[in-house]
Amino acid sequence: MATGQERSTSPAPSTASKTRGDDYVYFERSMEGFSSDAVSRATAAKLKLESYYKLAVDVAIERNGRRVELEQKINQGVIPNEAKEREIRKYRKLESQHLRLRRTKIRLTDFRTVKVIGKGAFGEVRLVQKVDTGKVYAMKTLQKAEMLKRDQASTKLAHVRAERDLLAESTSSWVVQLFYSFQDPLYLYLIMEFLPGGDLMTMLMKYDIFSEDVTRFYMAECILAIEAVHDLGYIHRDIKPDNILIDKNGHLKLSDFGLSTGLHKTTDGDYYKRLIDQDKQRDPARNSVQVNAIHLTMSREQIATWKANRRKLLILPSGTPDYIAPEVFMLKGYGKECDWWSLGAIMFECLVGYAPFCSENPSDTYKKIIEWPSFLCFPDEVHLSHEAENLIRSMMTWATQRFGVNEIKGHPFFYGADWENLRYIAPPFVPALSSITDTTYFPTDELGNLPDQLEVVEQVGSDKDLAFLGFTFKRFT
């Protein structure tokens, strides 16, 4: 008999001996006698079985919840039998459709690429059309092999799962909706709603600054979007203008919860500290917090350069740290209050025309943020109301002193805001669209001529592919 199943005649535990006879045979479970290949295969089988049955149980719980909801609905008040029968038939039809959707395997070939509308360090965003229905979606792709190659792969995989889980759980009108997620040996895919109005960064680049009234509207919608994410138990950590998308009606939704920008090293304090160390090696007289005044005093020309280069920063692994809270960099722990700092930085840019700590390189921006009390200043040539400046300062301060959502909502800057009906108020900008596939508000010209087909990249082995187990999702609507 294999070592892993050797008998043991050692005395039984005292608790067990009370219920089992003296002749009961015990086994010592050990993996010492198995090869590493057998152990890895057993572990893979265990993970796959756990994932399979977890999904089955979750589906059963959801289905039971829908049945209970139906029973409560038809048992409320006096409902004619005919109406009850109609509700039951409707329920059965929907459940049948749900089961059919669960059995359907979603593949890349189910979608036709219309246009590439975005590119990041880990993949692309494509406007796609589902072949059988003609419905339009935004498809995010992420290279598996690239994720596993880069530093802190386990952390990044956790971020991918966090984004997928948040989008799968969310039904909020303030969060981009996920319809499907699936994978193949090369890529992960997220099929999401397409928001044709572009992003807030594109609007800022076009209009330079907003009025306080326009800023008030967009900041109010951002507050409700961030609050929705926090209510789901998540922290965004990387809120910035290019993660705030505009739908066909001109209202905002939050996107990018870790898959693209959240996985960049913008949220890695060690990365920026390494940049500082490189500066020290070039100039040993400078310490990690000393600031070069020439670099950190931005002229109009330098600000213009920052604006011109900001779109290019999105496709670099380092990203841009302009909107990240100081406590995220300091590696001392942080909570959801870090998102309110980011919103303060965005509000500053909306009213002033550039980010509060913009610099010609990320390391200088990092240093400014760490030493923010010395560098958060409002230019004399830009007139802001007392309420606007006070709100920005109340969000862009140390985490322990920073305003929370209720204090922000109650600030005089938002006096008279109808928080319950924001989504029904006419927005300051509504995209003029010619079709459901209109990409006018996306800077696709900057991307060049990219192929319709995804690049054939390195394939991930079956052992490493276990890291992406359970990624698949289908939304039942």
Side-chain angles (χ1 to χ4, degrees), residues 150-222:
R150 295 178 182 269
D151 298 338
Q152 295 182 326
S154 60
T155 302
K156 290 164 186 171
L157 291 173
H159 291 170
V160 171
R161 178 49 60 92
E163 174 168 38
R164 179 264 183 211
D165 291 348
L166 186 155
L167 293 174
E169 292 173 28
S170 174
T171 57
S172 172
S173 59
W174 299 106
V175 174
V176 173
Q177 192 166 41
L178 174 69
F179 291 97
Y180 311 102
S181 62
F182 59 97
Q183 58 181 299
D184 60 26
L186 307 182
Y187 290 94
L188 299 176
Y189 304 90
L190 288 178
I191 306 297
M192 311 167 74
E193 66 175 315
F194 171 56
L195 301 182
D199 57 40
L200 195 62
M201 183 177 73
T202 302
M203 283 191 67
L204 283 168
M205 293 175 72
K206 180 177 181 181
Y207 297 105
D208 201 27
I209 61 171
F210 296 158
S211 68
E212 288 200 8
D213 285 339
V214 171
T215 300
R216 183 178 294 107
F217 177 85
Y218 286 136
M219 293 303 99
E221 292 212 330
C222 284

